Amino acid sequence: MLSSLTRVSRFSGLLLFLLGSIPSVFAQHTLEFVQDGVSNSYKPPVPKGPTSIPQTLSFFFNRNGNSDEGIYFQKPEKELTLTFSFDDQTYVNVPQHVTGLTFGAASGASSTHVRQVPVVNSNYYFTDTTRSIFTAHPNGPVGRGVNLYANPGVQIFLSAKPLITAKAPSSDTSRYYYGKLRLQFSRPVNNPVLSFAGLGATTNFSDKRLGFATELELLTPGLTVTKISGTRELVINDAQTKILHDKSPITGNCGAGAACGSVLVQGANITTLVFGVYLRADGGPGVWGTEKVKNSGDMWHITVTLPAQ
């Protein structure tokens, strides 16, 4: 009788332990960017570009942030910031665009000038209604945790003006090197998740379209990238170092032709991530731009999330 009670007691204890562990499987805390007027990753006011000056954002703790349950932001116990910067730019002194790679710009202000926009914003021009594109936590759930209203991204623009000036061919799907994107964490971190929105753009002159997209290559030694979620256009190469666009025609719409999604950089004690940045055409019959219309380019967002650490 005593042995039976002992077994029951042990089983009950095990059951309580397992039940107690269930929330930790599904409810996992994250570190995220937020810009809601109360919790601000970028101290207001947020400037407008175009600029190539480094941009620094602070992470906030989000309880159950992997699933967006009751979005609850607070300062983490250990402060963490991330600085985005450009190195080794190929195209400098680009008229009106400063450099080939800039923060806070987009096509459309005029035929020759880009549009000035905040360097950090949540104007993603896309709503993930299927909850399948962006993922905040390396362990999932897939498609959950990145809130496009609450989690701002750094807006990056690759100007096509240098390619127009150089009369660069667009029909051979060549990749043009623009420089390096550097992400510098203020302290070592583990397993950051990078979410990209809008890798892709299109020009249309005389009903002839040309699509082109930003592609990135991880240059930090010893690290690899893995796709967690995203559109079918977002692919990782076999060596797990390149974030590529794998579809034609290319467009700027996450739902129909742009590469969008979340990738995991797997590793521990990461302080710096460096990506080579390229612009690749899809070989369409169109052109980068014209002598009168030189404001084209690829505008996209990047936001970063982390398991709480």
Side-chain angles (χ1 to χ4, degrees):
M1 183 68 178
L2 289 175
S3 60
S4 297
L5 289 174
T6 301
R7 286 196 297 271
V8 170
S9 177
R10 288 175 177 173
F11 174 76
S12 299
L14 177 61
L15 181 60
L16 287 172
F17 172 79
L18 291 174
L19 288 173
S21 68
I22 286 176
S24 66
V25 173
F26 297 98
Q28 301 178 91
H29 311 321
T30 53
L31 297 173
E32 308 174 7
F33 295 148
V34 61
Q35 196 78 17
D36 62 8
V38 177
S39 299
N40 298 303
S41 291
Y42 198 109
K43 187 177 179 180
V46 179
K48 292 183 178 181
T51 178
S52 55
I53 296 173
Q55 306 296 324
T56 300
L57 290 84
S58 299
F59 285 95
F60 282 80
F61 175 85
N62 187 4
R63 187 178 300 278
N64 300 352
N66 68 323
S67 59
D68 275 345
E69 297 297 334
I71 303 171
Y72 175 66
F73 293 108
Q74 66 184 66
K75 290 185 177 181
E77 292 183 6
K78 294 176 62 177
E79 184 181 10
L80 178 63
T81 63
L82 178 55
T83 298
F84 297 81
S85 61
F86 300 126
D87 299 334
D88 192 34
Q89 290 230 40
T90 300
Y91 306 109
V92 295
N93 299 322
V94 179
Q96 292 89 42
H97 296 187
V98 187
T99 51
L101 275 166
T102 58
F103 300 109
S107 300
S110 71
S111 60
T112 57
H113 290 62
V114 296
R115 180 159 43 99
Q116 295 181 310
V117 295
V119 296
V120 174
N121 62 72
S122 57
N123 295 325
Y124 290 98
Y125 307 102
F126 175 71
T127 302
D128 185 11
T129 55
T130 63
R131 301 304 297 272
S132 62
I133 306 300
F134 304 107
T135 303
H137 197 284
N139 297 334
V142 169
R144 300 296 298 274
V146 176
N147 187 310
L148 296 182
Y149 297 101
N151 297 133
V154 176
Q155 184 160 328
I156 295 177
F157 184 74
L158 274 68
S159 170
K161 182 176 286 190
L163 304 182
I164 299 170
T165 302
K167 301 186 186 303
S170 57
S171 59
D172 60 357
T173 66
S174 292
R175 295 203 312 168
Y176 297 95
Y177 175 71
Y178 269 65
K180 296 174 183 174
L181 171 64
R182 180 180 298 270
L183 282 64
Q184 185 76 42
F185 294 94
S186 60
R187 59 177 171 87
V189 300
N190 303 329
N191 301 326
V193 176
L194 282 55
S195 295
F196 299 92
L199 297 175
T202 307
T203 60
N204 187 0
F205 296 99
S206 302
D207 291 327
K208 292 184 178 181
R209 303 177 69 88
L210 174 68
F212 43 88
T214 301
E215 296 186 333
L216 301 103
E217 180 174 357
L218 181 60
L219 303 177
T220 308
L223 298 176
T224 58
V225 292
T226 304
K227 180 178 178 180
I228 303 176
S229 59
T231 63
R232 60 180 180 174
E233 290 85 358
L234 182 71
V235 297
I236 307 299
N237 69 329
D238 291 340
Q240 294 185 293
T241 56
K242 297 179 181 180
I243 301 168
L244 305 173
H245 192 295
D246 189 35
K247 188 176 181 293
S248 291
I250 296 172
T251 77
N253 188 328
C254 274
C260 307
S262 301
V263 302
L264 165 66
V265 181
Q266 192 162 3
N269 297 316
I270 297 170
T271 55
T272 305
L273 297 173
V274 178
F275 291 89
V277 183
Y278 300 82
L279 195 63
R280 180 183 68 80
D282 65 4
V287 294
W288 301 107
T290 69
E291 289 300 316
K292 292 184 178 181
V293 182
K294 297 182 177 181
N295 67 355
S296 60
D298 187 16
M299 179 275 292
W300 47 275
H301 286 79
I302 177 174
T303 192
V304 179
T305 53
L306 295 156
Q309 53 196 267

